[in-house]
Amino acid sequence: GYRVFYGGPGTAAEESRTQGLWALGWALFLVFVAQALMHRSLARAMRVAFTAFFALAGVGAVMLIFGIPLASSAWMGALISVGVAAAYAAALAAYIAAPGAMVVQAARHQFRPQLAVTLMALSGMLPLLAVDRAAPVLFPLVIISATGVLFSFAASMLVLPALCSLGARKEQNRARRRL
């Protein structure tokens, strides 16, 4: 007999969207598990994972502003953004986790190194926008990766310290109640 398969751009786009969501979900899960194992704390792992969500929210907003479709290059940029957000947040979270470390001091200490990494990553990505032939493929990847780097930096410098200070206050209140 004969079989009929329906395909075309619509089916390919739907498969790409499904596979991209799975990859993004796995990336966020692996970030959470790695952070939980590294810090031995679910609360710290949740804080780091939340910074990755913040970076992805910023990437999503930029995608809407620029009208970037959810193609495979856009998914690659989103996965890069998750990795960068996790790396920034893990560096700061490890510093904050040190005994006696203050959250504001940790953010100040990590500001210049993370700013330098952010500027170097952006300066490496921006020349890719000048390549004419690869523009349809590289434009979404570069824009999403660049905004992911920027939002990851903002999340690690603003959101993560705020979450850590809230967590420290809760731990102090619990310690007072025990006494």
Side-chain angles (χ1 to χ4, degrees):
Y2 291 99
R3 291 187 184 175
V4 177
F5 292 103
Y6 295 100
T11 304
E14 184 62 36
E15 286 178 11
S16 173
R17 188 173 302 121
T18 303
Q19 290 174 352
L21 284 173
W22 272 103
L24 213 56
W26 271 108
L28 290 170
F29 175 73
L30 291 174
V31 163
F32 176 76
V33 169
Q35 295 303 311
L37 291 173
M38 185 170 82
H39 296 292
R40 296 184 184 142
S41 168
L42 292 177
R44 288 187 189 137
M46 288 296 290
R47 291 178 196 133
V48 171
F50 185 74
T51 60
F53 280 120
F54 181 80
L56 284 176
V59 166
V62 169
M63 287 177 69
L64 288 174
I65 290 169
F66 281 99
I68 298 173
L70 286 173
S72 55
S73 60
W75 289 112
M76 286 174 35
L79 289 170
I80 290 169
S81 299
V82 169
V84 170
Y88 280 172
L92 187 60
Y95 191 83
I96 290 173
M102 300 299 291
V103 174
V104 175
Q105 290 173 342
R108 275 193 203 137
H109 184 266
Q110 289 290 313
F111 180 79
R112 287 182 66 191
Q114 288 193 10
L115 179 63
V117 170
T118 300
L119 293 176
M120 285 187 294
L122 291 175
S123 64
M125 286 183 224
L126 293 181
L128 293 174
L129 292 177
V131 178
D132 286 339
R133 287 187 181 168
V137 175
L138 289 181
F139 181 78
L141 178 65
V142 171
I143 293 297
I144 292 170
S145 299
T147 56
V149 167
L150 289 173
F151 278 101
S152 298
F153 175 72
S156 67
M157 289 293 116
L158 300 172
V159 175
L160 184 63
L163 291 173
C164 288
S165 65
L166 287 174
R169 286 183 190 163
K170 285 185 178 183
E171 290 175 13
Q172 288 174 352
N173 290 340
R174 286 184 196 145
R176 287 182 192 155
R177 287 185 207 145
R178 290 181 191 151
L179 298 175

